[in-house]
Amino acid sequence: MRKKHFIILGRSGLIYFSWVLIVLFLCLIFLYESTKVFNWPALICALLFLILLVHTYFNSYWTNEIFKLPFRAKAKLTSEPTIILDWQLLKIYKIKITEFGQYYLLRFEKKSR
């Protein structure tokens, strides 16, 4: 019962990662607009961006029974995710959850022999 981490694709993934990238762009704006050698607002935004990335990685997973998104509560997994595309190390899955709707997920994984 190993956790399988993924990257969210589709409309919801685009919206979620757009908000995460806004924090990175704010960090860059603070960094380039400052005349000081050490810029506290840029450092705080960079740390917030890293915290959001770590939070996203550890809170985007599925197991045999649970499906978890970083911005939603855990849901019970009723059916196995289906593979849409399998190319080298990339696999794109389609998953349907009755409570959340339909999601496309990207995983980097080795092919099993």
Side-chain angles (χ1 to χ4, degrees):
M1 202 159 68
R2 200 171 143 231
K3 288 183 180 179
K4 295 184 179 182
H5 297 278
F6 56 83
I7 297 172
I8 310 158
L9 299 176
R11 189 178 346 159
S12 58
L14 180 67
I15 292 169
Y16 180 77
F17 286 113
S18 294
W19 282 106
V20 172
L21 286 174
I22 285 174
V23 176
L24 177 65
F25 294 141
L26 281 175
C27 170
L28 293 174
I29 289 169
F30 287 142
L31 187 64
Y32 286 124
E33 293 295 324
S34 176
T35 57
K36 297 178 182 177
V37 174
F38 191 76
N39 191 351
W40 283 103
L43 177 67
I44 291 169
C45 280
L47 288 175
L48 183 62
F49 174 73
L50 291 175
I51 289 169
L52 283 171
L53 283 182
V54 169
H55 170 76
T56 300
Y57 177 75
F58 285 113
N59 288 308
S60 310
Y61 64 87
W62 81 78
T63 62
N64 293 340
E65 303 155 356
I66 297 172
F67 178 73
K68 175 73 172 92
L69 290 171
F71 50 88
R72 299 238 184 200
K74 291 180 185 178
K76 198 163 199 161
L77 193 61
T78 55
S79 65
E80 284 290 317
T82 58
I83 296 176
I84 301 295
L85 178 71
D86 184 5
W87 182 72
Q88 293 187 5
L89 295 176
L90 299 175
K91 285 189 179 181
I92 297 178
Y93 292 89
K94 180 179 178 182
I95 189 166
K96 291 182 182 176
I97 304 289
T98 55
E99 301 158 5
F100 298 160
Q102 174 177 306
Y103 287 100
Y104 291 95
L105 315 171
L106 172 69
R107 277 190 41 86
F108 298 102
E109 56 186 47
K110 294 180 183 179
K111 288 187 177 183
S112 57
R113 293 182 184 215

